[in-house]
Amino acid sequence: MSDDNKIDKVRLGTGGPEVGVQGLGCMGMSFAYGPTDADEARATLERALELGITLYDTADAYAAGENERFLAPFFRAHRDEVVIATKFALAVDPRDPSKRTINNDPAYIRQCVEGSLQRLGVDEIDLYYMHRRDVNVPVEESVGAMAELVREGKVKHLGLSEVTGGELRAAQAVHPIAAVQSEWSLFSRDIEEGVVPAARELGVALVPYSPLGRGFLTGSFTSAEKDLTEDDFRRSQPRYNGDNAAANAVLLEPVRKLAEGRTATLGQVALAWVQQQARVHGLAVVPIPGTRKRSRVEENAAATRLLLTESEMELLEPIAGRVAGGRYADMTFTSAGRE
């Protein structure tokens, strides 16, 4: 892909921001995936923008706000070119990322947005997500508080993460929702039952996180226990460990076969599948693969031009139904845990 041939654009939701058809997940630049090279991560941000990637995803929970601080200089330098997406509601124990608490209380939302604005060094957040759903607070109440932030000029557009189809409908009745973020990949397709139809019906975009199965779909590791550092978050996820990991590695064979036939990488085939869900389901889909390397962001962006045939899509269809292990040890934090 040449620099003057940037990725295509799409609009998030009805009246939402226009962004590149692929975004960038920034969590791993300073959190959850082991040691990082800060200089290379900064260069990756710049390279992504050159390729037409304009949606940058972070959260206040990533490294207790340090991820937002890390991104702030880049955002300020390119404020008119980037769409800043951050989140509230999830607090992660830095000593154990598998331990987390959720809070959707309106007073807490206001506290969180002020903290994010300060760390990011901006006056307004382009896309503000509810990171996880607190079932003890009515979704209408939380979204009502988020809508106040829009009216006050602190936030431009609203998003939700890991909500059910019913929760999305309830939220949309209070204020327009631009995007729903949920895990969606060749390994994780539970949102297709309720969330995707609701999003299509309401004109809400889908922003798939972990579209590469946290790296497993690229073949970059085969066992979290054996291949990753002790502080890597993936060691707490059932499908990437023990017998589950061994069984799931076998499921990559059709992906590998397609990649070889297309002179592509496994990751590009996996990403192309996610990108094409826009056409399959009739809604905007903007995956946010995470990386901290320029070579990977170039590889990922090129996947937006890889169009899989109907027979190739059929070859990949059975994979998700055969995956061993859940995407989290505790699925109550996800939409699938409440559908």
Side-chain angles (χ1 to χ4, degrees):
M1 184 188 304
S2 63
D3 290 358
D4 60 351
N5 193 17
K6 295 183 177 182
I7 65 173
D8 293 336
K9 295 180 180 180
V10 70
R11 190 166 299 282
L12 296 181
T14 303
E18 188 177 59
V19 299
V21 293
Q22 185 182 110
L24 181 63
C26 300
M27 179 180 77
M29 291 184 172
S30 60
F31 178 69
Y33 292 156
T36 188
D37 180 333
D39 290 338
E40 178 62 20
R42 292 187 188 96
T44 299
L45 293 168
E46 298 284 352
R47 184 63 181 135
L49 188 58
E50 291 173 356
L51 294 168
I53 292 169
T54 56
L55 178 64
Y56 293 81
D57 187 88
T58 181
D60 63 1
Y62 302 159
E66 286 304 315
N67 195 251
E68 290 178 323
R69 290 191 182 94
F70 176 82
L71 296 167
F74 170 75
F75 288 157
R76 290 196 298 270
H78 300 284
R79 188 63 193 96
D80 295 336
E81 303 169 82
V82 301
V83 173
I84 301 171
T86 192
K87 316 179 195 73
F88 73 88
L90 182 63
V92 177
D93 185 338
R95 295 162 299 182
D96 182 359
S98 66
K99 293 182 179 179
R100 48 188 65 193
T101 56
I102 300 174
N103 189 340
N104 289 175
D105 183 76
Y108 182 70
I109 295 172
R110 185 162 293 277
Q111 174 187 330
C112 287
V113 76
E114 296 296 346
S116 287
L117 286 168
Q118 184 177 31
R119 287 186 294 270
L120 292 165
V122 297
D123 297 325
E124 191 173 33
I125 293 165
D126 299 311
L127 179 58
Y128 200 44
Y129 285 104
M130 176 194 293
H131 204 161
R132 290 292 186 272
R133 170 90 172 92
D134 177 358
V135 295
N136 298 309
V137 181
V139 68
E140 296 89 346
E141 186 177 332
S142 301
V143 175
M146 295 168 71
E148 289 180 14
L149 302 179
V150 175
R151 288 190 288 271
E152 294 170 13
K154 298 180 186 296
V155 170
K156 287 184 181 178
H157 307 284
L158 302 185
L160 303 171
S161 180
E162 288 288 2
V163 294
T164 66
E167 290 164 350
L168 174 57
R169 288 187 175 91
Q172 180 78 5
V174 176
H175 188 279
I177 303 299
V180 168
Q181 186 175 133
S182 285
E183 187 164 354
W184 200 5
S185 72
L186 283 171
F187 270 18
S188 298
R189 298 182 58 180
D190 50 77
I191 67 168
E192 292 174 27
E193 185 172 345
V195 182
V196 171
R200 181 180 62 242
E201 171 193 322
L202 299 170
V204 177
L206 248 296
V207 177
Y209 72 82
S210 300
L212 294 173
R214 300 192 186 274
F216 194 87
L217 286 166
T218 71
S220 62
F221 74 99
T222 55
S223 167
E225 295 160 310
K226 297 175 182 177
D227 301 334
L228 305 177
T229 57
E230 289 189 11
D231 59 347
D232 196 299
F233 168 65
R234 290 167 288 187
R235 289 171 67 101
S236 70
Q237 296 187 293
R239 62 178 45 164
Y240 305 130
N241 292 281
D243 293 341
N244 288 343
N248 292 335
V250 176
L251 300 179
L252 297 182
E253 283 312 307
V255 185
R256 188 170 284 108
K257 178 181 178 182
L258 285 189
E260 290 172 355
R262 289 298 204 98
T263 318
T265 65
L266 274 72
Q268 286 175 326
V269 170
L271 266 179
W273 181 89
V274 177
Q275 300 277 176
Q276 282 181 232
Q277 297 311 304
R279 188 174 64 190
V280 172
H281 292 281
L283 77 171
V285 176
V286 182
I288 49 169
T291 186
R292 46 202 176 184
K293 296 180 180 178
R294 282 169 286 182
S295 59
R296 289 298 189 190
V297 85
E298 290 167 355
E299 175 185 331
N300 293 345
T304 66
R305 309 249 190 256
L306 179 59
L307 299 179
L308 302 177
T309 66
E310 187 174 337
S311 61
E312 288 172 332
M313 294 288 281
E314 288 174 359
L315 188 65
L316 301 174
E317 183 66 24
I319 293 175
R322 298 171 182 168
V323 173
R327 48 193 179 98
Y328 294 102
D330 181 0
M331 287 291 284
T332 61
F333 291 91
T334 70
S335 60
R338 298 190 304 282
E339 286 283 13

